[in-house]
């Protein structure tokens, strides 16, 4: 599927990937929990609620950094000073990647880790419908380029995607990657642009984009991730996203139809 077939769009939709395009509750989040469990010698395995609370702080979009931070906090709760701990960040990353990607993490064709079993939350048909209605679309994610391309190209079937991934721009909530994605999707610097994401950091990214690229109307759409099991969990999470700046919150990304975009833009 062509990634951006709209010649004269009237709006842009940029999507996060984890929790929006794919369900990472049993992959990234499982790898995160495995990593924390391993480096605390089995002393602590974070629950989904623990991970939500950490990400609710708005600065732990990178799951490697989130793993490291939860390890530090565990030992601090035991009375240890993080400055005296002999944690090696690269070792943490390597362990995480083997869990997530598999025993050959640098060879995508050989991946056999948790990434292979991620349910998709977005279809090619959905994206084609946006294109047909004049909405240009692309992706800005904190996922690694290899992981992001794996799901977009091999699973969803987009070749090539308009994608800004880890290392292409500063980490969220810095809005540089979002602004760059919008610029690649359309030449008009004033075209209304939506960013759909599932974390507080995603909403804060839009808020900062409004200051750094103020000519363009920016809209934040919160997407409820699929690991929320109860209505109260979803209500709590939606409130968190709204307080962080979401203009609206949807149950799943495909609820963000072109008609919903029109309504949001007024």
């Amino acid at each position: 599927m062509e990634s951006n077939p709209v010649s004269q769009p009237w709006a842009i939709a940029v999507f996060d990937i984890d929790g929006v395009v794919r369900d990472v509750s049993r992959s990234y989040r499982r790898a995160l929990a495995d990593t924390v469990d391993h480096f605390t010698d089995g002393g602590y395995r974070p629950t989904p609620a623990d991970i939500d609370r950490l990400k609710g702080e708005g600065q732990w979009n990178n799951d490697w950094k989130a793993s490291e931070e939860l390890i530090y906090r565990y030992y601090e709760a035991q009375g240890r000073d993080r400055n005296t701990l002999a944690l090696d960040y690269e070792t943490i990353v390597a362990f995480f990647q083997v869990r997530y990607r598999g025993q050959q993490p640098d060879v995508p064709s050989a991946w056999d880790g948790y990434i292979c079993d991620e349910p998709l939350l977005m279809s090619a048909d959905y994206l084609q419908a946006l294109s047909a209605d004049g909405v240009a679309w692309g992706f800005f994610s904190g996922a690694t380029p290899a992981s992001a391309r794996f799901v977009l190209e091999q699973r969803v079937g987009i070749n090539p995607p308009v994608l800004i991934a880890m290392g292409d721009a500063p980490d969220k909530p810095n809005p540089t990657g979002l602004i760059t994605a919008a610029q690649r999707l359309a030449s008009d610097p004033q075209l209304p642009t939506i960013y759909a994401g599932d974390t507080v950091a995603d909403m804060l990214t839009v808020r900062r984009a409004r200051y750094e690229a103020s000519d363009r109307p920016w809209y934040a759409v919160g997407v409820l991730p699929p690991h929320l099991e109860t209505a109260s969990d979803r209500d709590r999470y939606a409130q968190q996203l709204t307080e962080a700046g979401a203009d609206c919150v949807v149950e799943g990304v495909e609820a963000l139809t072109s008609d919903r975009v029109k309504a949001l833009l007024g």
Side-chain angles (χ1 to χ4, degrees), residues 13-23 119-123 126-127 130 194-198 203 220-228 234 237-238 241 248-258 260-261 264:
V14 181
F15 300 100
D16 185 26
I17 293 177
D18 299 336
V20 176
V21 176
R22 60 183 172 190
D23 180 354
L120 291 179
L121 305 172
M122 174 187 285
S123 68
Y126 165 72
L127 295 172
L130 289 182
I194 288 168
Y195 186 46
D198 69 320
M203 305 303 101
V221 174
V223 180
L224 297 181
H227 70 269
L228 303 171
R234 292 190 288 274
Y237 203 98
L241 293 175
C248 72
V249 177
V250 295
E251 288 275 353
V253 67
E254 293 197 352
L256 186 62
T257 62
S258 59
R260 189 73 179 266
V261 173
L264 180 62

Side-chain angles (χ1 to χ4, degrees), residues 42-241:
Y44 172 49
R45 184 177 183 85
T47 66
D50 293 337
I51 297 170
D52 283 346
R53 279 192 290 270
L54 182 74
K55 288 183 175 290
E57 295 176 11
Q59 58 179 323
W60 303 109
N61 192 66
N62 183 318
D63 284 333
W64 301 336
K65 290 289 187 183
S67 300
E68 180 187 49
E69 181 63 20
L70 287 174
I71 295 165
Y72 274 131
R73 292 188 187 187
Y74 167 77
Y75 283 114
E76 286 178 332
Q78 310 304 310
R80 304 277 298 278
D81 184 339
R82 69 171 59 197
N83 295 317
T84 67
L85 296 172
L87 291 182
D88 180 76
Y89 179 66
E90 295 305 321
T91 302
I92 292 171
V93 171
F95 182 91
F96 184 107
Q97 291 296 76
V98 168
R99 284 292 196 272
Y100 180 62
R101 294 182 176 181
Q103 294 300 317
Q104 299 185 66
D106 297 326
V107 185
S109 62
W111 286 354
D112 58 359
Y114 301 154
I115 189 173
C116 297
D117 300 321
E118 293 172 329
L120 291 179
L121 305 172
M122 174 187 285
S123 68
D125 287 346
Y126 165 72
L127 295 172
Q128 288 173 339
L130 289 182
S131 297
D133 288 339
V135 179
W137 45 266
F139 304 89
F140 169 46
S141 171
T144 64
S147 170
R149 290 190 181 281
F150 180 84
V151 66
L152 296 177
E153 295 178 0
Q154 298 190 38
R155 302 286 309 284
V156 182
I158 306 165
N159 288 292
V162 174
L163 169 66
I164 305 296
M166 180 189 289
D168 296 330
D171 291 345
K172 298 180 246 184
N174 186 301
T176 301
L178 174 58
I179 294 168
T180 301
Q183 291 170 340
R184 289 186 184 179
L185 287 163
S187 58
D188 184 352
Q190 298 181 328
L191 206 63
T193 299
I194 288 168
Y195 186 46
D198 69 320
T199 68
V200 166
D202 295 328
M203 305 303 101
L204 297 179
T205 299
V206 177
R207 290 173 63 175
R208 290 182 59 178
R210 289 174 179 148
Y211 287 97
E212 298 194 22
S214 57
D215 287 347
R216 184 187 300 274
W218 295 96
Y219 299 86
V221 174
V223 180
L224 297 181
H227 70 269
L228 303 171
E229 296 181 351
T230 67
S232 61
D233 287 340
R234 292 190 288 274
D235 289 345
R236 172 189 53 77
Y237 203 98
Q239 182 63 30
Q240 187 178 61
L241 293 175

